[in-house]
Amino acid sequence: MNHRRWSLFLLLAMLGTLGWWLLARHQSRPSVLRWNGQSAEYWIGRLSYHDLEGAEVSAEEFLFSAGPEVVPVLTSGLQKHDHWIYDQWHALYFKLGQWQRYFSLPVNRAGYRANCARGLGLIGPPASAAVPNLKVALRDPNPEVRRASLGALGRITRGTSGVTELLVAGLADPDPHHRLACLWALKHCLPGHPKAAEALRGIMVDPDSNFRAIAAEALGRDITSAHLNFPLLTNALHDSSLAVRMRAARSLARLPGDRTGSADALRFALETKLSSRSNDLDILILIGALSDLGPDARSAKPLLLRLSQTNDASGDYALIGLGRLEPADPRWTEELVLRLELSSTGDPFGVAWELGRRGEFARDALPALGRLATMTNNARLQTMAATSAWRIDPASPEPFSLLSNYLSPTSVFGRYEIVRLLGELGPAGRPAAPALRRLLYSRGIMMHDYAREALESVAPDILENPWN
């Protein structure tokens, strides 16, 4: 009798194992979509906001190169259920040591679902068909899946489809990682959603400086309630965190409404920093914000005049600011040209950038820009000088090969400024659009956002249909 019971137990165990295996096989049935010789599941399993240096391709490239069929594949992946067999194999794989090379890298089901949500977020509005599934994924048992789905909803919907309310409610979650995901997503809901702005104003007094910095940056996008944002951003100019101070200064310069009030607040902060001999970065940021206000910052002219007498970066930035305050006065452009000819001091990169913005009025800068454009020991400055010369005189050599080379995966330092430069060029920067498109998937999430912002002015059609 015992023998028969034991045999029956073994048979049931075998049938159960076979059933689980068949179920797992059915649930993990690969899609027909393939790219670069690998299945969609292979690439989704490797999605990350971090690139491996030296890799020929990144998994993110799959999102933008495999075609619009990527969206339904990612959407389907959100529905993969947890399975203990996969979890056990995932745990065992990392204990195999040198034997790992005989097996493919496994991804547990929760990690796979989170990657699907991240991928949909990176694609952005063209992945709008996945919004209902992402809302369902907000109830996923895994917190990482929920956070990734929140981020994706913010990026895809920009606050429509009732998403703003979900994100605002998520700010009350006790998990700081969940709150951070909601905060990042709310940033994409501005401008246009007063509830998002109201929630972000509440974050400006959060004890976490990272949260305050994100909120300070986001409020600069809010065009509906500048009068409510103004006092918060003004106070943030004196925050204990440099990141908060920097983003508050830039946001104040963007606020509509009382721009002379913004200028006075920035000028007072600059005077305070100068009297306390604060760090140079604070000073440069405040001068830059005043410059962005242009003629509305006239009250800062005496201070900028005093700073312009120095021959360091603050002197260069002060001259740039004076030229923005008084754009019709040619002496500020002449002073900048002289600074560029003496480029051994100060910030020739910033001076060259500003002269390029002034176009025909900076024609006297062409010889100095031409000299810098032939430099071989500073690719960043060379690229900026060549572009500025072309902006001043379109008969100058086109800079797009330099721009594209500098934005290549092998370049690391200073690419954000070049991305911003292309954004300023607008449609004229179209020849460099492929390099910007590559940045959507070749670097981390911040560079992804910078490239997306530039493409909105250079080639918006790429964002509307990223697979074209």
Side-chain angles (χ1 to χ4, degrees), residues 390-405:
W390 177 76
R391 295 176 81 176
I392 294 168
D393 180 7
S396 300
E398 289 192 351
F400 295 109
S401 60
L402 281 173
L403 287 163
S404 298
N405 288 340

Side-chain angles (χ1 to χ4, degrees), residues 228-307:
L228 298 175
N229 301 331
F230 177 81
L232 294 171
L233 292 171
T234 299
N235 289 337
L237 293 176
H238 308 281
D239 195 276
S240 58
S241 165
L242 173 62
V244 177
R245 299 194 300 270
M246 174 178 69
R247 297 182 188 192
R250 290 174 177 168
S251 288
L252 270 175
R254 297 170 66 180
L255 280 186
D258 185 11
R259 290 174 63 80
T260 56
S262 294
D264 290 340
L266 290 164
R267 177 179 52 79
F268 175 74
L270 179 56
E271 290 171 340
T272 303
K273 296 299 180 186
L274 289 169
S275 63
S276 63
R277 297 184 178 181
S278 184
N279 83 49
D280 291 341
L281 188 54
D282 260 315
I283 292 168
L284 296 180
I285 289 165
L286 289 165
I287 297 173
L290 284 165
S291 300
D292 289 341
L293 285 167
D296 293 316
R298 291 187 189 90
S299 64
K301 182 178 177 180
L303 185 56
L304 293 178
L305 275 172
R306 175 159 61 88
L307 287 170

Side-chain angles (χ1 to χ4, degrees), residues 5 60 139 192 245 254 328 336-337 377 413 417:
R5 286 181 178 177
E60 286 77 11
R139 300 192 295 271
R245 299 194 300 270
R254 297 170 66 180
L336 284 177
V337 172
N377 61 341
F413 175 72
E417 292 92 340

